[in-house]
Amino acid sequence: MVHVSVAPSVPTPVQVPTQADLLDFVRRTAADAELIASLPLDPEGRTWVRLEGPGGSEAWLIGWPPGTGTGWHDHADSVGAFLTAQGELKENSLAARLPTDGWKTLELSDGVDRERRLPTGRGRSFGRHHVHEVLNESTEEHAISVHAYYPPLPQIRRYSRTGPVLRLEQVERPEDWQ
């Protein structure tokens, strides 16, 4: 008689994707010309398709008609990355750590505004609570981008901005955009 001893199965820990992993994913995904060409583009509103991101991350392929943008927002506790796959996007962001909760209106200090131009093939990663807006300023061309977030977006906080004053306007949850 032969006795075989089998060790109990131990679940393999899931590798939590880093900002670098997410940026690598959006780069590789944006290089998939067939996928980028498959996105239906609307002449007036943004279009999007949910993708399978690395390590359980949330990912999106987004089409931006001329003159569209996100408005000021953050991604709460998620880190993320995005890259322009076609066209050019502009990102306005704040180089300041904002309080995460308990405020409705903030007056921003001078020198916190940052602007990045992200033509085809350019992207960036960002940390938790990164406040920004993304715009397609072209008057003629669509832009397409790839985005990834980890953990999957628990919420998006939307802001209005008048000069140096940033005001929390709305908190959206996943059921609001899926």
Side-chain angles (χ1 to χ4, degrees), residues 106-142:
L106 285 176
E107 186 160 343
L108 302 170
S109 304
D110 287 341
V112 299
D113 288 295
R114 298 292 181 264
E115 178 183 305
R116 285 181 176 84
R117 295 267 170 203
L118 301 166
T120 299
R122 293 274 319 266
R124 67 169 310 223
S125 64
F126 52 86
R128 297 171 27 177
H129 307 290
H130 175 69
V131 177
H132 69 163
E133 69 174 347
V134 180
L135 308 160
N136 177 6
E137 293 186 321
S138 172
T139 58
E140 300 172 7
E141 301 293 325
H142 268 78

PDB file of all heavy atoms in Angstrom, residues 106-142:
ATOM      1  N   LEU A 106     -12.146  74.683  -0.648  1.00  0.00           N
ATOM      2  CA  LEU A 106     -10.749  74.970  -0.322  1.00  0.00           C
ATOM      3  C   LEU A 106     -10.266  76.130  -1.180  1.00  0.00           C
ATOM      4  O   LEU A 106     -10.638  76.240  -2.345  1.00  0.00           O
ATOM      5  CB  LEU A 106      -9.851  73.775  -0.651  1.00  0.00           C
ATOM      6  CG  LEU A 106      -9.886  72.576   0.256  1.00  0.00           C
ATOM      7  CD1 LEU A 106      -8.991  71.479  -0.318  1.00  0.00           C
ATOM      8  CD2 LEU A 106      -9.427  72.927   1.657  1.00  0.00           C
ATOM      9  N   GLU A 107      -9.428  76.975  -0.610  1.00  0.00           N
ATOM     10  CA  GLU A 107      -8.748  77.991  -1.401  1.00  0.00           C
ATOM     11  C   GLU A 107      -7.340  77.472  -1.657  1.00  0.00           C
ATOM     12  O   GLU A 107      -6.589  77.197  -0.725  1.00  0.00           O
ATOM     13  CB  GLU A 107      -8.703  79.339  -0.684  1.00  0.00           C
ATOM     14  CG  GLU A 107      -8.116  80.401  -1.594  1.00  0.00           C
ATOM     15  CD  GLU A 107      -8.462  81.813  -1.178  1.00  0.00           C
ATOM     16  OE1 GLU A 107      -9.400  82.002  -0.393  1.00  0.00           O
ATOM     17  OE2 GLU A 107      -7.773  82.718  -1.660  1.00  0.00           O
ATOM     18  N   LEU A 108      -7.017  77.317  -2.933  1.00  0.00           N
ATOM     19  CA  LEU A 108      -5.733  76.755  -3.327  1.00  0.00           C
ATOM     20  C   LEU A 108      -4.633  77.802  -3.272  1.00  0.00           C
ATOM     21  O   LEU A 108      -4.863  78.971  -3.581  1.00  0.00           O
ATOM     22  CB  LEU A 108      -5.829  76.183  -4.744  1.00  0.00           C
ATOM     23  CG  LEU A 108      -6.900  75.104  -4.936  1.00  0.00           C
ATOM     24  CD1 LEU A 108      -7.069  74.795  -6.412  1.00  0.00           C
ATOM     25  CD2 LEU A 108      -6.558  73.858  -4.144  1.00  0.00           C
ATOM     26  N   SER A 109      -3.451  77.373  -2.922  1.00  0.00           N
ATOM     27  CA  SER A 109      -2.283  78.260  -2.891  1.00  0.00           C
ATOM     28  C   SER A 109      -1.794  78.540  -4.304  1.00  0.00           C
ATOM     29  O   SER A 109      -2.033  77.750  -5.220  1.00  0.00           O
ATOM     30  CB  SER A 109      -1.142  77.596  -2.117  1.00  0.00           C
ATOM     31  OG  SER A 109      -1.552  77.244  -0.831  1.00  0.00           O
ATOM     32  N   ASP A 110      -1.056  79.626  -4.464  1.00  0.00           N
ATOM     33  CA  ASP A 110      -0.408  79.909  -5.740  1.00  0.00           C
ATOM     34  C   ASP A 110       0.607  78.815  -6.033  1.00  0.00           C
ATOM     35  O   ASP A 110       1.220  78.256  -5.120  1.00  0.00           O
ATOM     36  CB  ASP A 110       0.323  81.262  -5.689  1.00  0.00           C
ATOM     37  CG  ASP A 110      -0.640  82.441  -5.698  1.00  0.00           C
ATOM     38  OD1 ASP A 110      -1.808  82.247  -6.095  1.00  0.00           O
ATOM     39  OD2 ASP A 110      -0.225  83.542  -5.298  1.00  0.00           O
ATOM     40  N   GLY A 111       0.784  78.518  -7.303  1.00  0.00           N
ATOM     41  CA  GLY A 111       1.823  77.585  -7.713  1.00  0.00           C
ATOM     42  C   GLY A 111       1.457  76.116  -7.650  1.00  0.00           C
ATOM     43  O   GLY A 111       2.332  75.271  -7.841  1.00  0.00           O
ATOM     44  N   VAL A 112       0.198  75.775  -7.379  1.00  0.00           N
ATOM     45  CA  VAL A 112      -0.171  74.356  -7.295  1.00  0.00           C
ATOM     46  C   VAL A 112      -0.647  73.791  -8.634  1.00  0.00           C
ATOM     47  O   VAL A 112      -0.782  72.582  -8.775  1.00  0.00           O
ATOM     48  CB  VAL A 112      -1.245  74.076  -6.216  1.00  0.00           C
ATOM     49  CG1 VAL A 112      -0.747  74.463  -4.844  1.00  0.00           C
ATOM     50  CG2 VAL A 112      -2.561  74.741  -6.547  1.00  0.00           C
ATOM     51  N   ASP A 113      -0.906  74.653  -9.609  1.00  0.00           N
ATOM     52  CA  ASP A 113      -1.425  74.181 -10.891  1.00  0.00           C
ATOM     53  C   ASP A 113      -0.320  73.588 -11.756  1.00  0.00           C
ATOM     54  O   ASP A 113       0.763  74.154 -11.878  1.00  0.00           O
ATOM     55  CB  ASP A 113      -2.102  75.328 -11.653  1.00  0.00           C
ATOM     56  CG  ASP A 113      -3.414  75.715 -11.017  1.00  0.00           C
ATOM     57  OD1 ASP A 113      -4.326  74.878 -11.015  1.00  0.00           O
ATOM     58  OD2 ASP A 113      -3.521  76.857 -10.514  1.00  0.00           O
ATOM     59  N   ARG A 114      -0.631  72.440 -12.364  1.00  0.00           N
ATOM     60  CA  ARG A 114       0.275  71.782 -13.297  1.00  0.00           C
ATOM     61  C   ARG A 114      -0.498  71.499 -14.579  1.00  0.00           C
ATOM     62  O   ARG A 114      -1.675  71.160 -14.546  1.00  0.00           O
ATOM     63  CB  ARG A 114       0.802  70.460 -12.740  1.00  0.00           C
ATOM     64  CG  ARG A 114       1.616  70.605 -11.477  1.00  0.00           C
ATOM     65  CD  ARG A 114       2.944  71.315 -11.757  1.00  0.00           C
ATOM     66  NE  ARG A 114       3.748  71.453 -10.565  1.00  0.00           N
ATOM     67  CZ  ARG A 114       3.785  72.542  -9.795  1.00  0.00           C
ATOM     68  NH1 ARG A 114       3.025  73.578 -10.081  1.00  0.00           N
ATOM     69  NH2 ARG A 114       4.561  72.598  -8.738  1.00  0.00           N
ATOM     70  N   GLU A 115       0.185  71.597 -15.702  1.00  0.00           N
ATOM     71  CA  GLU A 115      -0.422  71.296 -16.996  1.00  0.00           C
ATOM     72  C   GLU A 115       0.498  70.354 -17.751  1.00  0.00           C
ATOM     73  O   GLU A 115       1.706  70.559 -17.799  1.00  0.00           O
ATOM     74  CB  GLU A 115      -0.599  72.587 -17.804  1.00  0.00           C
ATOM     75  CG  GLU A 115      -1.170  72.359 -19.182  1.00  0.00           C
ATOM     76  CD  GLU A 115      -1.267  73.651 -19.987  1.00  0.00           C
ATOM     77  OE1 GLU A 115      -1.905  74.610 -19.490  1.00  0.00           O
ATOM     78  OE2 GLU A 115      -0.712  73.689 -21.085  1.00  0.00           O
ATOM     79  N   ARG A 116      -0.098  69.285 -18.314  1.00  0.00           N
ATOM     80  CA  ARG A 116       0.666  68.332 -19.124  1.00  0.00           C
ATOM     81  C   ARG A 116      -0.049  68.144 -20.443  1.00  0.00           C
ATOM     82  O   ARG A 116      -1.263  67.979 -20.478  1.00  0.00           O
ATOM     83  CB  ARG A 116       0.737  66.973 -18.443  1.00  0.00           C
ATOM     84  CG  ARG A 116       1.663  66.885 -17.289  1.00  0.00           C
ATOM     85  CD  ARG A 116       1.655  65.453 -16.722  1.00  0.00           C
ATOM     86  NE  ARG A 116       2.608  65.318 -15.656  1.00  0.00           N
ATOM     87  CZ  ARG A 116       2.372  65.636 -14.393  1.00  0.00           C
ATOM     88  NH1 ARG A 116       1.209  66.137 -14.046  1.00  0.00           N
ATOM     89  NH2 ARG A 116       3.300  65.465 -13.475  1.00  0.00           N
ATOM     90  N   ARG A 117       0.720  68.122 -21.501  1.00  0.00           N
ATOM     91  CA  ARG A 117       0.212  67.754 -22.825  1.00  0.00           C
ATOM     92  C   ARG A 117       0.578  66.293 -23.032  1.00  0.00           C
ATOM     93  O   ARG A 117       1.733  65.908 -22.819  1.00  0.00           O
ATOM     94  CB  ARG A 117       0.850  68.606 -23.916  1.00  0.00           C
ATOM     95  CG  ARG A 117       0.487  70.064 -23.805  1.00  0.00           C
ATOM     96  CD  ARG A 117      -0.721  70.365 -24.637  1.00  0.00           C
ATOM     97  NE  ARG A 117      -1.208  71.702 -24.357  1.00  0.00           N
ATOM     98  CZ  ARG A 117      -2.438  72.068 -24.586  1.00  0.00           C
ATOM     99  NH1 ARG A 117      -3.301  71.223 -25.103  1.00  0.00           N
ATOM    100  NH2 ARG A 117      -2.836  73.287 -24.313  1.00  0.00           N
ATOM    101  N   LEU A 118      -0.396  65.506 -23.414  1.00  0.00           N
ATOM    102  CA  LEU A 118      -0.180  64.078 -23.596  1.00  0.00           C
ATOM    103  C   LEU A 118      -0.562  63.673 -25.021  1.00  0.00           C
ATOM    104  O   LEU A 118      -1.690  63.239 -25.269  1.00  0.00           O
ATOM    105  CB  LEU A 118      -0.981  63.287 -22.562  1.00  0.00           C
ATOM    106  CG  LEU A 118      -0.635  63.620 -21.098  1.00  0.00           C
ATOM    107  CD1 LEU A 118      -1.684  63.071 -20.153  1.00  0.00           C
ATOM    108  CD2 LEU A 118       0.738  63.095 -20.752  1.00  0.00           C
ATOM    109  N   PRO A 119       0.373  63.838 -25.965  1.00  0.00           N
ATOM    110  CA  PRO A 119       0.095  63.399 -27.334  1.00  0.00           C
ATOM    111  C   PRO A 119       0.102  61.868 -27.411  1.00  0.00           C
ATOM    112  O   PRO A 119       0.438  61.187 -26.426  1.00  0.00           O
ATOM    113  CB  PRO A 119       1.252  64.007 -28.134  1.00  0.00           C
ATOM    114  CG  PRO A 119       2.365  64.149 -27.156  1.00  0.00           C
ATOM    115  CD  PRO A 119       1.705  64.403 -25.826  1.00  0.00           C
ATOM    116  N   THR A 120      -0.215  61.313 -28.560  1.00  0.00           N
ATOM    117  CA  THR A 120      -0.241  59.871 -28.761  1.00  0.00           C
ATOM    118  C   THR A 120       1.036  59.233 -28.207  1.00  0.00           C
ATOM    119  O   THR A 120       2.139  59.702 -28.483  1.00  0.00           O
ATOM    120  CB  THR A 120      -0.374  59.543 -30.265  1.00  0.00           C
ATOM    121  OG1 THR A 120      -1.604  60.096 -30.737  1.00  0.00           O
ATOM    122  CG2 THR A 120      -0.372  58.045 -30.515  1.00  0.00           C
ATOM    123  N   GLY A 121       0.842  58.199 -27.388  1.00  0.00           N
ATOM    124  CA  GLY A 121       1.973  57.468 -26.827  1.00  0.00           C
ATOM    125  C   GLY A 121       2.475  57.992 -25.496  1.00  0.00           C
ATOM    126  O   GLY A 121       3.332  57.377 -24.871  1.00  0.00           O
ATOM    127  N   ARG A 122       1.956  59.113 -25.038  1.00  0.00           N
ATOM    128  CA  ARG A 122       2.390  59.687 -23.752  1.00  0.00           C
ATOM    129  C   ARG A 122       1.322  59.439 -22.705  1.00  0.00           C
ATOM    130  O   ARG A 122       0.136  59.537 -22.977  1.00  0.00           O
ATOM    131  CB  ARG A 122       2.620  61.199 -23.870  1.00  0.00           C
ATOM    132  CG  ARG A 122       3.763  61.629 -24.741  1.00  0.00           C
ATOM    133  CD  ARG A 122       5.116  61.684 -24.054  1.00  0.00           C
ATOM    134  NE  ARG A 122       5.123  62.228 -22.719  1.00  0.00           N
ATOM    135  CZ  ARG A 122       5.364  63.501 -22.413  1.00  0.00           C
ATOM    136  NH1 ARG A 122       5.636  64.379 -23.340  1.00  0.00           N
ATOM    137  NH2 ARG A 122       5.352  63.883 -21.146  1.00  0.00           N
ATOM    138  N   GLY A 123       1.770  59.167 -21.507  1.00  0.00           N
ATOM    139  CA  GLY A 123       0.850  58.939 -20.412  1.00  0.00           C
ATOM    140  C   GLY A 123       1.519  59.214 -19.092  1.00  0.00           C
ATOM    141  O   GLY A 123       2.639  59.714 -19.046  1.00  0.00           O
ATOM    142  N   ARG A 124       0.820  58.861 -18.024  1.00  0.00           N
ATOM    143  CA  ARG A 124       1.375  59.080 -16.696  1.00  0.00           C
ATOM    144  C   ARG A 124       0.635  58.234 -15.682  1.00  0.00           C
ATOM    145  O   ARG A 124      -0.470  57.779 -15.926  1.00  0.00           O
ATOM    146  CB  ARG A 124       1.293  60.542 -16.318  1.00  0.00           C
ATOM    147  CG  ARG A 124      -0.132  61.042 -16.129  1.00  0.00           C
ATOM    148  CD  ARG A 124      -0.140  62.380 -15.503  1.00  0.00           C
ATOM    149  NE  ARG A 124       0.708  62.371 -14.332  1.00  0.00           N
ATOM    150  CZ  ARG A 124       0.408  62.924 -13.178  1.00  0.00           C
ATOM    151  NH1 ARG A 124      -0.726  63.558 -13.042  1.00  0.00           N
ATOM    152  NH2 ARG A 124       1.216  62.868 -12.149  1.00  0.00           N
ATOM    153  N   SER A 125       1.279  58.037 -14.555  1.00  0.00           N
ATOM    154  CA  SER A 125       0.626  57.375 -13.435  1.00  0.00           C
ATOM    155  C   SER A 125       0.428  58.413 -12.342  1.00  0.00           C
ATOM    156  O   SER A 125       1.032  59.490 -12.382  1.00  0.00           O
ATOM    157  CB  SER A 125       1.470  56.203 -12.925  1.00  0.00           C
ATOM    158  OG  SER A 125       2.698  56.660 -12.413  1.00  0.00           O
ATOM    159  N   PHE A 126      -0.415  58.080 -11.385  1.00  0.00           N
ATOM    160  CA  PHE A 126      -0.670  59.019 -10.288  1.00  0.00           C
ATOM    161  C   PHE A 126      -1.073  58.249  -9.043  1.00  0.00           C
ATOM    162  O   PHE A 126      -1.520  57.105  -9.111  1.00  0.00           O
ATOM    163  CB  PHE A 126      -1.744  60.048 -10.658  1.00  0.00           C
ATOM    164  CG  PHE A 126      -3.021  59.458 -11.174  1.00  0.00           C
ATOM    165  CD1 PHE A 126      -4.021  59.056 -10.304  1.00  0.00           C
ATOM    166  CD2 PHE A 126      -3.236  59.303 -12.533  1.00  0.00           C
ATOM    167  CE1 PHE A 126      -5.199  58.506 -10.771  1.00  0.00           C
ATOM    168  CE2 PHE A 126      -4.413  58.764 -13.016  1.00  0.00           C
ATOM    169  CZ  PHE A 126      -5.397  58.357 -12.134  1.00  0.00           C
ATOM    170  N   GLY A 127      -0.895  58.910  -7.907  1.00  0.00           N
ATOM    171  CA  GLY A 127      -1.188  58.308  -6.615  1.00  0.00           C
ATOM    172  C   GLY A 127      -2.609  58.563  -6.152  1.00  0.00           C
ATOM    173  O   GLY A 127      -3.429  59.161  -6.865  1.00  0.00           O
ATOM    174  N   ARG A 128      -2.871  58.130  -4.953  1.00  0.00           N
ATOM    175  CA  ARG A 128      -4.195  58.298  -4.357  1.00  0.00           C
ATOM    176  C   ARG A 128      -4.538  59.784  -4.210  1.00  0.00           C
ATOM    177  O   ARG A 128      -3.662  60.610  -3.998  1.00  0.00           O
ATOM    178  CB  ARG A 128      -4.202  57.643  -2.982  1.00  0.00           C
ATOM    179  CG  ARG A 128      -3.965  56.156  -3.031  1.00  0.00           C
ATOM    180  CD  ARG A 128      -3.756  55.545  -1.684  1.00  0.00           C
ATOM    181  NE  ARG A 128      -4.420  56.330  -0.656  1.00  0.00           N
ATOM    182  CZ  ARG A 128      -4.468  56.019   0.609  1.00  0.00           C
ATOM    183  NH1 ARG A 128      -3.876  54.948   1.030  1.00  0.00           N
ATOM    184  NH2 ARG A 128      -5.077  56.783   1.484  1.00  0.00           N
ATOM    185  N   HIS A 129      -5.803  60.085  -4.343  1.00  0.00           N
ATOM    186  CA  HIS A 129      -6.347  61.432  -4.131  1.00  0.00           C
ATOM    187  C   HIS A 129      -5.789  62.468  -5.110  1.00  0.00           C
ATOM    188  O   HIS A 129      -5.757  63.656  -4.797  1.00  0.00           O
ATOM    189  CB  HIS A 129      -6.133  61.891  -2.679  1.00  0.00           C
ATOM    190  CG  HIS A 129      -6.641  60.903  -1.684  1.00  0.00           C
ATOM    191  ND1 HIS A 129      -7.977  60.666  -1.507  1.00  0.00           N
ATOM    192  CD2 HIS A 129      -5.989  60.063  -0.854  1.00  0.00           C
ATOM    193  CE1 HIS A 129      -8.125  59.717  -0.592  1.00  0.00           C
ATOM    194  NE2 HIS A 129      -6.941  59.340  -0.185  1.00  0.00           N
ATOM    195  N   HIS A 130      -5.359  62.027  -6.283  1.00  0.00           N
ATOM    196  CA  HIS A 130      -4.836  62.933  -7.311  1.00  0.00           C
ATOM    197  C   HIS A 130      -6.013  63.701  -7.929  1.00  0.00           C
ATOM    198  O   HIS A 130      -6.932  63.098  -8.483  1.00  0.00           O
ATOM    199  CB  HIS A 130      -4.111  62.101  -8.376  1.00  0.00           C
ATOM    200  CG  HIS A 130      -3.634  62.871  -9.546  1.00  0.00           C
ATOM    201  ND1 HIS A 130      -2.605  63.780  -9.471  1.00  0.00           N
ATOM    202  CD2 HIS A 130      -4.042  62.875 -10.841  1.00  0.00           C
ATOM    203  CE1 HIS A 130      -2.392  64.295 -10.666  1.00  0.00           C
ATOM    204  NE2 HIS A 130      -3.255  63.766 -11.510  1.00  0.00           N
ATOM    205  N   VAL A 131      -6.010  65.026  -7.820  1.00  0.00           N
ATOM    206  CA  VAL A 131      -7.090  65.857  -8.356  1.00  0.00           C
ATOM    207  C   VAL A 131      -6.660  66.392  -9.711  1.00  0.00           C
ATOM    208  O   VAL A 131      -5.596  67.011  -9.832  1.00  0.00           O
ATOM    209  CB  VAL A 131      -7.431  67.018  -7.395  1.00  0.00           C
ATOM    210  CG1 VAL A 131      -8.503  67.902  -7.993  1.00  0.00           C
ATOM    211  CG2 VAL A 131      -7.889  66.474  -6.042  1.00  0.00           C
ATOM    212  N   HIS A 132      -7.502  66.125 -10.731  1.00  0.00           N
ATOM    213  CA  HIS A 132      -7.153  66.588 -12.082  1.00  0.00           C
ATOM    214  C   HIS A 132      -8.400  66.713 -12.947  1.00  0.00           C
ATOM    215  O   HIS A 132      -9.494  66.318 -12.558  1.00  0.00           O
ATOM    216  CB  HIS A 132      -6.116  65.655 -12.714  1.00  0.00           C
ATOM    217  CG  HIS A 132      -6.627  64.278 -13.072  1.00  0.00           C
ATOM    218  ND1 HIS A 132      -5.960  63.447 -13.923  1.00  0.00           N
ATOM    219  CD2 HIS A 132      -7.729  63.576 -12.708  1.00  0.00           C
ATOM    220  CE1 HIS A 132      -6.600  62.305 -14.066  1.00  0.00           C
ATOM    221  NE2 HIS A 132      -7.683  62.373 -13.339  1.00  0.00           N
ATOM    222  N   GLU A 133      -8.179  67.275 -14.123  1.00  0.00           N
ATOM    223  CA  GLU A 133      -9.173  67.239 -15.195  1.00  0.00           C
ATOM    224  C   GLU A 133      -8.433  66.868 -16.458  1.00  0.00           C
ATOM    225  O   GLU A 133      -7.259  67.203 -16.630  1.00  0.00           O
ATOM    226  CB  GLU A 133      -9.928  68.570 -15.340  1.00  0.00           C
ATOM    227  CG  GLU A 133      -9.103  69.717 -15.851  1.00  0.00           C
ATOM    228  CD  GLU A 133      -9.917  70.974 -16.114  1.00  0.00           C
ATOM    229  OE1 GLU A 133     -11.158  70.922 -16.147  1.00  0.00           O
ATOM    230  OE2 GLU A 133      -9.289  72.026 -16.305  1.00  0.00           O
ATOM    231  N   VAL A 134      -9.114  66.134 -17.343  1.00  0.00           N
ATOM    232  CA  VAL A 134      -8.528  65.694 -18.598  1.00  0.00           C
ATOM    233  C   VAL A 134      -9.395  66.249 -19.719  1.00  0.00           C
ATOM    234  O   VAL A 134     -10.626  66.169 -19.657  1.00  0.00           O
ATOM    235  CB  VAL A 134      -8.441  64.151 -18.663  1.00  0.00           C
ATOM    236  CG1 VAL A 134      -7.833  63.694 -19.981  1.00  0.00           C
ATOM    237  CG2 VAL A 134      -7.640  63.617 -17.476  1.00  0.00           C
ATOM    238  N   LEU A 135      -8.736  66.814 -20.734  1.00  0.00           N
ATOM    239  CA  LEU A 135      -9.442  67.514 -21.810  1.00  0.00           C
ATOM    240  C   LEU A 135      -8.928  67.108 -23.184  1.00  0.00           C
ATOM    241  O   LEU A 135      -7.714  66.906 -23.359  1.00  0.00           O
ATOM    242  CB  LEU A 135      -9.227  69.026 -21.676  1.00  0.00           C
ATOM    243  CG  LEU A 135      -9.522  69.663 -20.329  1.00  0.00           C
ATOM    244  CD1 LEU A 135      -8.815  70.996 -20.209  1.00  0.00           C
ATOM    245  CD2 LEU A 135     -11.013  69.815 -20.158  1.00  0.00           C
ATOM    246  N   ASN A 136      -9.841  67.051 -24.151  1.00  0.00           N
ATOM    247  CA  ASN A 136      -9.457  66.987 -25.557  1.00  0.00           C
ATOM    248  C   ASN A 136      -9.748  68.382 -26.114  1.00  0.00           C
ATOM    249  O   ASN A 136     -10.895  68.715 -26.401  1.00  0.00           O
ATOM    250  CB  ASN A 136     -10.257  65.936 -26.327  1.00  0.00           C
ATOM    251  CG  ASN A 136      -9.915  65.929 -27.809  1.00  0.00           C
ATOM    252  OD1 ASN A 136      -9.015  66.627 -28.262  1.00  0.00           O
ATOM    253  ND2 ASN A 136     -10.647  65.143 -28.576  1.00  0.00           N
ATOM    254  N   GLU A 137      -8.713  69.189 -26.253  1.00  0.00           N
ATOM    255  CA  GLU A 137      -8.901  70.569 -26.703  1.00  0.00           C
ATOM    256  C   GLU A 137      -8.959  70.714 -28.219  1.00  0.00           C
ATOM    257  O   GLU A 137      -9.201  71.812 -28.718  1.00  0.00           O
ATOM    258  CB  GLU A 137      -7.784  71.457 -26.150  1.00  0.00           C
ATOM    259  CG  GLU A 137      -7.863  71.603 -24.652  1.00  0.00           C
ATOM    260  CD  GLU A 137      -6.865  72.598 -24.108  1.00  0.00           C
ATOM    261  OE1 GLU A 137      -5.712  72.639 -24.601  1.00  0.00           O
ATOM    262  OE2 GLU A 137      -7.242  73.353 -23.193  1.00  0.00           O
ATOM    263  N   SER A 138      -8.781  69.619 -28.939  1.00  0.00           N
ATOM    264  CA  SER A 138      -8.868  69.691 -30.396  1.00  0.00           C
ATOM    265  C   SER A 138     -10.269  70.139 -30.810  1.00  0.00           C
ATOM    266  O   SER A 138     -11.261  69.771 -30.170  1.00  0.00           O
ATOM    267  CB  SER A 138      -8.572  68.327 -31.018  1.00  0.00           C
ATOM    268  OG  SER A 138      -8.838  68.355 -32.407  1.00  0.00           O
ATOM    269  N   THR A 139     -10.340  70.904 -31.866  1.00  0.00           N
ATOM    270  CA  THR A 139     -11.644  71.301 -32.399  1.00  0.00           C
ATOM    271  C   THR A 139     -12.095  70.367 -33.523  1.00  0.00           C
ATOM    272  O   THR A 139     -13.220  70.475 -33.993  1.00  0.00           O
ATOM    273  CB  THR A 139     -11.589  72.745 -32.939  1.00  0.00           C
ATOM    274  OG1 THR A 139     -10.584  72.820 -33.950  1.00  0.00           O
ATOM    275  CG2 THR A 139     -11.300  73.728 -31.816  1.00  0.00           C
ATOM    276  N   GLU A 140     -11.213  69.433 -33.925  1.00  0.00           N
ATOM    277  CA  GLU A 140     -11.527  68.576 -35.075  1.00  0.00           C
ATOM    278  C   GLU A 140     -11.338  67.091 -34.854  1.00  0.00           C
ATOM    279  O   GLU A 140     -12.004  66.286 -35.491  1.00  0.00           O
ATOM    280  CB  GLU A 140     -10.658  68.992 -36.272  1.00  0.00           C
ATOM    281  CG  GLU A 140     -10.873  70.425 -36.698  1.00  0.00           C
ATOM    282  CD  GLU A 140      -9.877  70.865 -37.755  1.00  0.00           C
ATOM    283  OE1 GLU A 140      -9.106  70.014 -38.241  1.00  0.00           O
ATOM    284  OE2 GLU A 140      -9.876  72.052 -38.102  1.00  0.00           O
ATOM    285  N   GLU A 141     -10.411  66.699 -33.992  1.00  0.00           N
ATOM    286  CA  GLU A 141     -10.019  65.294 -33.882  1.00  0.00           C
ATOM    287  C   GLU A 141     -10.468  64.652 -32.578  1.00  0.00           C
ATOM    288  O   GLU A 141     -10.361  65.256 -31.517  1.00  0.00           O
ATOM    289  CB  GLU A 141      -8.486  65.161 -33.971  1.00  0.00           C
ATOM    290  CG  GLU A 141      -7.886  65.701 -35.252  1.00  0.00           C
ATOM    291  CD  GLU A 141      -8.293  64.896 -36.469  1.00  0.00           C
ATOM    292  OE1 GLU A 141      -8.445  63.659 -36.363  1.00  0.00           O
ATOM    293  OE2 GLU A 141      -8.472  65.509 -37.539  1.00  0.00           O
ATOM    294  N   HIS A 142     -10.939  63.409 -32.681  1.00  0.00           N
ATOM    295  CA  HIS A 142     -11.176  62.597 -31.490  1.00  0.00           C
ATOM    296  C   HIS A 142      -9.833  62.231 -30.866  1.00  0.00           C
ATOM    297  O   HIS A 142      -8.819  62.158 -31.555  1.00  0.00           O
ATOM    298  CB  HIS A 142     -11.884  61.286 -31.869  1.00  0.00           C
ATOM    299  CG  HIS A 142     -13.365  61.357 -31.808  1.00  0.00           C
ATOM    300  ND1 HIS A 142     -14.128  61.945 -32.791  1.00  0.00           N
ATOM    301  CD2 HIS A 142     -14.240  60.891 -30.876  1.00  0.00           C
ATOM    302  CE1 HIS A 142     -15.405  61.842 -32.471  1.00  0.00           C
ATOM    303  NE2 HIS A 142     -15.500  61.204 -31.317  1.00  0.00           N
TER     304      HIS A 142
END
